Every structure is written in C-alpha cells, then in structure tokens.
Amino acid sequence: MADLKSIIKDEIVKYILSCESPINFSSWYVGITGQNPAERKKQHESEKNIICQYFKYWDVYKEYIAKEIEDEIADLGVSKFTKDLNPIITASNKDSSGSEEKHYVYVYLAVENERAKDK
C-alpha cells in the first residue's frame, strides 16, 4: 500500500499532466502553506501580478510531508516559491488545543496577468 506522500505526489503529477499539453513543468509553481489555500492564491496573484491558473491544493496534515512533496515536485522542474518554505501559521489553521493542524501543498500554472499589462 502506498504512503500518503507517494499518493499525493502521484496525484499532483497526474493533475499537472492533465492540465497542459505539451507539458512545460517550468511554467508551474509548487508551494506549501499553513494558510487557507484560497487566501494564499490571492496573495500570489497580487504579489507576482499573475493569474494562478489551474490552482489546486492537497491537505497533507504534516509539515514534513508537505516539504518532502514540494521538493520532489520541484525536482521535476516545477518552480518552488521559496517564501513558502516556512508555512505561515494563523489562528485559522490551529485546532482547539492550539497545535498546528493544516498543511497544504499547492500547484498552479503561472499566467501573465493581461489586465496589468494594459495599465
């Protein structure tokens, strides 16, 4: 039986392959976060002035698993957003005891924001 890390890594690779043909891994980004993934997506779009096309995330529960998956996906040629190496922990991703509960791995295809070019 495959472990969680292998299952999620395989899902991510299959997802990327299903979104783009021919595949260009270097146009994709992988990251990890302890934040709400939808909020993280908005931050990326704002900070980088891009559109995060095909944005998808997986809950991996443990930070070390998230980091291992991120590294293995980056080894395929996917860019790693280094600011995400230490996930931002907020009140929204802690359980009632205050311990860290959520860790996500996410991927997206970075697309130039055409609206920004027109300004």
Side-chain angles (χ1 to χ4, degrees):
M1 182 175 179
D3 63 349
L4 177 66
K5 182 179 87 169
S6 298
I7 291 168
I8 292 176
K9 179 188 168 200
D10 289 347
E11 285 181 13
I12 292 171
V13 171
K14 287 177 187 174
Y15 177 71
I16 292 172
L17 293 172
S18 74
C19 291
E20 188 183 39
S21 181
I23 189 65
N24 180 3
F25 282 114
S26 65
S27 297
W28 285 79
Y29 282 82
V30 61
I32 61 175
T33 189
Q35 286 182 287
N36 175 311
E39 289 299 314
R40 193 68 190 115
K41 177 185 179 209
K42 288 178 189 175
Q43 289 174 339
H44 275 253
E45 289 179 331
S46 174
E47 291 170 5
K48 297 179 176 186
N49 199 22
I50 59 167
I51 296 170
C52 298
Q53 191 172 9
Y54 306 122
F55 185 91
K56 187 168 181 174
Y57 64 90
W58 291 260
D59 187 346
V60 297
Y61 308 103
K62 302 277 187 197
E63 182 178 6
Y64 79 92
I65 295 173
K67 287 182 178 182
E68 289 176 4
I69 293 170
E70 179 187 45
D71 288 341
E72 289 183 22
I73 296 298
D75 287 345
L76 298 173
V78 174
S79 299
K80 184 162 67 172
F81 191 58
T82 56
K83 186 177 179 182
D84 291 340
L85 291 178
N86 296 309
I88 299 168
I89 304 303
T90 64
S92 65
N93 66 351
K94 293 185 182 221
D95 65 19
S96 59
S97 68
S99 64
E100 296 175 27
E101 190 63 28
K102 298 286 188 180
H103 290 90
Y104 302 96
V105 175
Y106 61 87
V107 295
Y108 64 85
L109 177 65
V111 177
E112 189 173 11
N113 188 339
E114 292 294 325
R115 290 178 299 215
K117 283 176 41 179
D118 294 338
K119 290 182 180 179

